[in-house]
Amino acid sequence: MRILIIEDEPDLLASLAQALREEGYAVDTADNGNDGLFNAEGTDYDAIVLDVMLPGLDGWEILKRLRKTKKSPVLMLTARDQTRDRVKGLDTGADDYVVKPFDLEEVFARLRAIIRRSANKTTNLIEIGDVKIDTAARNIFLKDKAVEITAREYALVEFLALHRGEVVTRTQLYEHLFDENESSLSNLLDVHVSNVRKKLGAEFIATRRGHGYCIE
Amino acid sequence: MKIFNSIKWRLQLWYGLILVVVLAGFGFTAYQLEYGRQMRRIDGELHLRFGMLANALHESMPRPPNRPRFGSPPDNQWPEDRPPRHNPPPQKFVLPDWAARFFDATNRYGYYYVISRDEHELDRSTNAPVEDHDRFARNPNYINAPPTLPRNEPPVEYNGEPVTDADLKNQRFAAGQPGSAWQRGDFREIVTDLPSGEWVVIGKNITPELMELHRIGLELTLIGGIILLLGLAGGGWLVSRAIKPINEISATAVKISAGDLSQRINVAEAESELGQLAAVLNSTFARLETAFAQQKQFASDAAHELRTPVTVMLTQTQTALNRERDAESYKQTVEACQRAAQRMRRLIESLLELARFDAGQEVLKRMHFDFSKTLSDSIEMVQALADERNVKIISEISPLEITGDAERLAQVVTNLLTNALQYNRPGGEVCVKLNVQNGLAVLEVADTGQGIAPENLARVFERFYRADSSRTGAGNAGLGLSICQAIIEAHGGSIAVTSQPGSGTTFTVRLPVA
């Protein structure tokens, strides 16, 4: 899952990015409105965390322009908790909002929720054959037994599971699993796929030659 | 509310009283005029009859042998020959028929007496009231009756000409002059003293006239009553109309005091006194609403400014505590938290400072000090920032000593200089001027930055207002210029700003020297 954070307060931006990376997300950051909009329009993010008060373009303006081209779910961070501000955000196209000051747990939960909704899932539990994925706890069970899995491997499984039945290209996977700062070594993805197959069964992820990967 | 404390009812009461007095005055006057008119008419009629009677008597009266017939004395001896009052015997008049018709029983209203000099009744019409004729002499208290019968003095003037003895001798006034009229009960009478010595009383029963007057009186009272009622109703309507805006004002005020500050009085007649009052109240309400909105905005902005550093501290600490970290990450977290806490401290200090100025609790030290030195010290202090941003500071400072709080004024100067540097372009200039104009110390700080759009210029001193509508750095909460303004105004000075969008902004501070 790849997330963009647009926030101008450097300390807040740094800690949010760190916390989300530790949650297994690939995180890009922008500290002003113009860069934020540029990034958001250039990549299909799984979610965007957007502050309202920004130098350059403000959050509402970014949202308005972004919605012309992208459907990425947006979580607004707002310091104003007046109803009209929240209504304005939601009406402009935000999927949810968090009022500052917030708890990280809440931000995580709301991010999971908007990502889940954008994939048309209603629960945190995805079942594929013998494999169960708990997207809230970020755990994977094989025949009701927890499987030891790295954050990056989990992210790979979750992304494929959320796009079950679709062929996901390698480019897409790179885009959604790695942030802009990571050197996308071409074989890194193959390593993750092979590790997941070892843990969950060789046929869990099917390879479509010349296209990509797929969970049936 | 007691009913008589209500303005409406008091107005009604006074209005009603005045109306009653005016109507009563009119009614009384109208009645009096009508009464006088009737009486003059009756008197005229009586005079007419007197004329007829006098002529009839003149013609028909038998003549005593030793006495000239009045009206045509045979010789010039008449005045001397005038007989004494008691002397002649009672005589009888005989009225000719044509005259008697005016006084017979079929004519209920006219009557006459003729009384001799010795107060015997010589004649009376058949319809004369039964009272004795000598009631005049015997009953002086008789209603409206003169105590004695009037004596006709010989006239001294007739038709505007003096009366001569010859006239008297020629008996030009044989028929006599009708006397004055009076009224007793239902009767109106004229008593005339004939030159021949008799009294003639012509009277009339005026009951119909009195009844007519009575009816007119009743009519006047009735009309007056109707007018009073109409007047009261109209007055009530007028008063209600006049009071209505007051009720509207009161209703609006009630809503406003209940907390709905957006309410306004509907000003229908802006020119009337109440319209003007409503306009004044409306502008007061508008100012109140603005003040309340500003207060609310201030509290909201202050909370907003505090939210960001609190958020930083929460996310930093929660991230750090999520798992075990090395010493370096903990240090970074603590440093970030410290920055956030410092930012909150600065914000709180600024807020408290403003609150003290607002409450008038900020005590300024009053001392004589070298303001030009304060200025050069401040310039020296911000020189590092100027070098960092590659901005040149040009100063034209005249030596100047003023009285005030040196520390506070240094704060203002530093703030203005820092702003001028921060909002400047690289390679720009900041021009600082200090001199005396019109007895005021004038400090100008001009930058060569982007300038401020005219529509935002008035707002730069507003609390939490930032010209670029976003944070430009931690600790800049948009309170600096508000505090500068508070300090300058507490010194009795003023601060103003002018700006050319694209070429720069100039802040001008004017301070009293002493």
Side-chain angles (χ1 to χ4, degrees):
Chain A
M1 297 289 126
R2 189 162 168 191
I3 289 175
L4 172 65
I5 306 174
I6 310 175
E7 164 64 60
D8 63 331
E9 162 59 48
D11 286 332
L12 182 56
L13 181 61
S15 58
L16 265 180
Q18 187 191 357
L20 286 173
R21 279 188 190 115
E22 285 171 8
E23 281 287 298
Y25 295 103
V27 178
D28 293 345
T29 60
D31 65 0
N32 66 70
N34 295 318
D35 292 356
L37 181 62
F38 179 79
N39 282 359
E41 283 178 331
T43 310
D44 280 322
Y45 287 100
D46 294 296
I48 296 171
V49 177
L50 178 60
D51 190 16
V52 172
M53 294 284 280
L54 290 167
L57 299 171
D58 70 16
W60 286 312
E61 190 58 36
I62 291 175
L63 198 54
K64 209 157 75 186
R65 297 201 195 172
L66 181 66
R67 279 287 171 255
K68 289 176 186 162
T69 55
K70 295 282 180 192
K71 288 187 199 159
S72 316
V74 170
L75 176 67
M76 300 280 278
L77 300 182
T78 165
R80 300 195 178 275
D81 61 352
Q82 281 165 359
T83 312
R84 67 183 151 89
D85 292 310
R86 287 177 277 176
V87 168
K88 184 176 177 185
L90 291 174
D91 281 351
T92 317
D95 295 81
D96 205 351
Y97 61 89
V98 189
V99 177
K100 291 179 184 177
F102 46 74
D103 280 311
L104 274 180
E105 287 303 324
E106 191 183 350
V107 175
F108 295 160
R110 287 186 186 273
L111 271 177
R112 284 196 296 270
I114 62 171
I115 292 169
R116 192 175 68 222
R117 281 204 294 271
S118 74
N120 286 320
K121 297 281 186 293
T122 51
T123 64
N124 290 323
L125 206 65
I126 304 170
E127 285 191 63
I128 299 161
D130 291 338
V131 179
K132 280 182 195 165
I133 306 164
D134 180 351
T135 55
R138 308 179 72 79
N139 282 330
I140 296 181
F141 300 90
L142 180 62
K143 292 174 180 159
D144 292 332
K145 221 178 119 198
V147 177
E148 288 257 337
I149 198 161
T150 68
R152 190 53 59 74
E153 286 161 10
Y154 171 82
L156 172 66
V157 172
E158 189 190 318
F159 189 82
L160 287 171
L162 286 174
H163 297 84
R164 192 178 172 185
E166 299 170 25
V167 177
V168 179
T169 64
R170 289 176 67 87
T171 321
Q172 268 181 304
L173 282 173
Y174 274 115
E175 262 195 20
H176 287 274
L177 301 188
F178 303 98
D179 66 42
E180 58 197 355
N181 301 321
E182 285 174 294
S183 54
S184 47
L185 298 167
S186 62
N187 66 341
L188 197 55
L189 192 59
D190 299 318
V191 173
H192 290 313
V193 171
S194 124
N195 282 343
V196 169
R197 280 175 173 156
K198 269 181 211 157
K199 288 170 183 176
L200 300 176
E203 66 284 3
F204 185 68
I205 299 175
T207 304
R208 299 288 161 85
R209 292 254 169 253
H211 295 287
Y213 300 97
C214 176
I215 291 181
E216 298 286 348
Chain B
M1 181 162 57
K2 277 185 188 167
I3 195 161
F4 288 111
N5 286 342
S6 139
I7 289 180
K8 180 179 171 180
W9 286 105
R10 272 195 260 177
L11 279 175
Q12 273 282 59
L13 192 66
W14 281 111
Y15 174 77
L17 277 176
I18 291 168
L19 198 59
V20 165
V21 169
V22 169
L23 283 173
F26 267 115
F28 183 74
T29 311
Y31 182 82
Q32 284 298 320
L33 287 174
E34 179 60 21
Y35 183 89
R37 199 179 64 77
Q38 285 278 15
M39 290 306 144
R40 276 195 305 282
R41 190 180 62 72
I42 293 166
D43 292 351
E45 197 182 315
L46 291 178
H47 286 157
L48 203 67
R49 291 180 187 206
F50 169 77
M52 285 190 302
L53 186 69
N55 280 336
L57 288 172
H58 182 65
E59 309 237 327
S60 69
M61 207 165 111
R63 199 160 313 268
N66 59 342
R67 194 177 160 202
R69 177 184 175 148
F70 70 78
S72 56
D75 52 45
N76 291 338
Q77 300 307 306
W78 178 69
E80 289 77 20
D81 290 349
R82 196 170 174 157
R85 238 179 165 204
H86 55 273
N87 213 12
Q91 299 176 30
K92 252 323 206 187
F93 289 115
V94 179
L95 271 183
D97 283 348
W98 62 267
R101 274 208 302 278
F102 287 96
F103 299 104
D104 68 5
T106 59
N107 190 332
R108 286 171 54 214
Y109 302 121
Y111 59 86
Y112 71 88
Y113 303 95
V114 180
I115 299 163
S116 69
R117 290 187 174 252
D118 50 358
E119 299 188 3
H120 285 95
E121 188 178 295
L122 295 179
D123 191 16
R124 59 155 46 214
S125 61
T126 49
N127 58 358
V130 292
E131 290 96 333
D132 190 9
H133 63 272
D134 58 7
R135 62 193 179 275
F136 308 120
R138 291 186 193 149
N139 186 2
N141 292 327
Y142 201 87
I143 305 167
N144 284 334
T148 54
L149 290 174
R151 289 281 159 217
N152 232 9
E153 293 300 318
V156 292
E157 196 182 89
Y158 186 71
N159 283 346
E161 294 167 15
V163 176
T164 59
D165 284 350
D167 288 332
L168 286 174
K169 284 177 185 166
N170 288 336
Q171 289 294 300
R172 248 178 88 179
F173 309 103
Q177 296 295 311
S180 57
W182 74 81
Q183 194 177 337
R184 52 178 184 99
D186 290 341
F187 304 99
R188 183 125 183 131
E189 294 177 342
I190 291 177
V191 178
T192 307
D193 184 17
L194 294 181
S196 54
E198 289 82 12
W199 282 308
V200 173
V201 176
I202 298 282
K204 187 173 192 266
N205 183 336
I206 55 168
T207 310
E209 283 82 0
L210 288 178
M211 278 174 67
E212 171 76 5
L213 283 171
H214 187 64
R215 192 181 60 76
I216 288 173
L218 276 178
E219 271 177 16
L220 283 173
T221 311
L222 189 68
I223 291 168
I226 290 169
I227 291 175
L228 179 66
L229 285 179
L230 285 176
L232 282 178
W237 179 74
L238 271 179
V239 170
S240 294
R241 249 180 80 91
I243 294 279
K244 197 169 155 243
I246 297 182
N247 289 338
E248 272 175 28
I249 291 171
S250 155
T252 309
V254 165
K255 280 187 203 153
I256 286 170
S257 91
D260 184 0
L261 286 170
S262 65
Q263 288 287 333
R264 291 290 176 276
I265 300 160
N266 186 14
V267 188
E269 302 158 58
E271 296 304 314
S272 77
E273 291 87 340
L274 284 174
Q276 288 171 9
L277 173 65
V280 169
L281 285 175
N282 274 347
S283 79
T284 310
F285 293 152
R287 283 181 54 194
L288 265 182
E289 190 184 14
T290 313
F292 265 82
Q294 277 174 353
Q295 199 60 38
K296 218 166 146 185
Q297 186 65 39
F298 181 69
S300 160
D301 286 340
H304 170 232
E305 290 299 324
L306 283 169
R307 280 172 200 274
T308 302
V310 170
T311 311
V312 169
M313 291 177 83
L314 274 176
T315 48
Q316 285 281 346
T317 50
Q318 284 171 354
T319 309
L321 291 173
N322 256 349
R323 61 186 67 179
E324 285 294 314
R325 311 272 176 190
D326 55 21
E328 184 56 28
S329 341
Y330 283 131
K331 195 182 163 202
Q332 281 174 5
T333 302
V334 172
E335 280 169 356
C337 286
Q338 196 194 13
R339 282 193 293 275
Q342 293 280 19
R343 184 173 160 187
M344 286 193 272
R345 194 193 65 183
R346 281 195 299 273
L347 178 66
I348 290 165
E349 277 173 357
S350 299
L351 287 175
L352 285 176
E353 206 172 345
L354 276 175
R356 282 200 301 271
F357 274 112
D358 283 350
Q361 289 172 349
E362 184 69 29
V363 182
L364 293 172
K365 297 180 200 119
R366 305 283 294 173
M367 54 187 147
H368 206 61
F369 71 100
D370 188 346
F371 191 40
S372 40
K373 174 138 193 326
T374 304
L375 205 49
S376 15
D377 288 351
S378 298
I379 291 172
E380 211 170 293
M381 204 169 75
V382 299
Q383 193 59 52
L385 179 64
D387 294 343
E388 185 188 308
R389 300 188 68 97
N390 190 22
V391 175
K392 197 176 164 198
I393 300 180
I394 303 163
S395 57
E396 294 172 24
I397 302 172
S398 328
L400 177 59
E401 293 201 340
I402 66 168
T403 302
D405 190 324
E407 216 173 294
R408 287 297 192 185
L409 291 174
Q411 185 186 344
V412 172
V413 171
T414 310
N415 196 304
L416 291 179
L417 286 173
T418 314
N419 277 349
L421 292 171
Q422 266 176 356
Y423 296 104
N424 220 318
R425 59 180 164 82
E429 286 174 359
V430 170
C431 184
V432 184
K433 280 186 202 165
L434 176 66
N435 50 39
V436 178
Q437 292 171 14
N438 303 327
L440 291 174
V442 178
L443 166 68
E444 272 182 32
V445 179
D447 66 42
T448 53
Q450 285 186 346
I452 302 165
E455 64 266 26
N456 293 331
L457 205 57
R459 301 188 60 198
V460 296
F461 296 108
E462 270 178 34
R463 290 161 192 199
F464 296 110
Y465 178 78
R466 298 185 194 88
D468 63 354
S469 79
S470 75
R471 288 179 286 276
T472 50
N476 179 4
L479 289 175
L481 284 173
S482 305
I483 293 173
C484 286
Q485 191 184 33
I487 292 171
I488 296 299
E489 285 179 356
H491 276 85
S494 66
I495 182 165
V497 59
T498 55
S499 186
Q500 287 288 323
S503 62
T505 306
T506 305
F507 283 90
T508 309
V509 173
R510 288 186 175 78
L511 280 172
V513 174

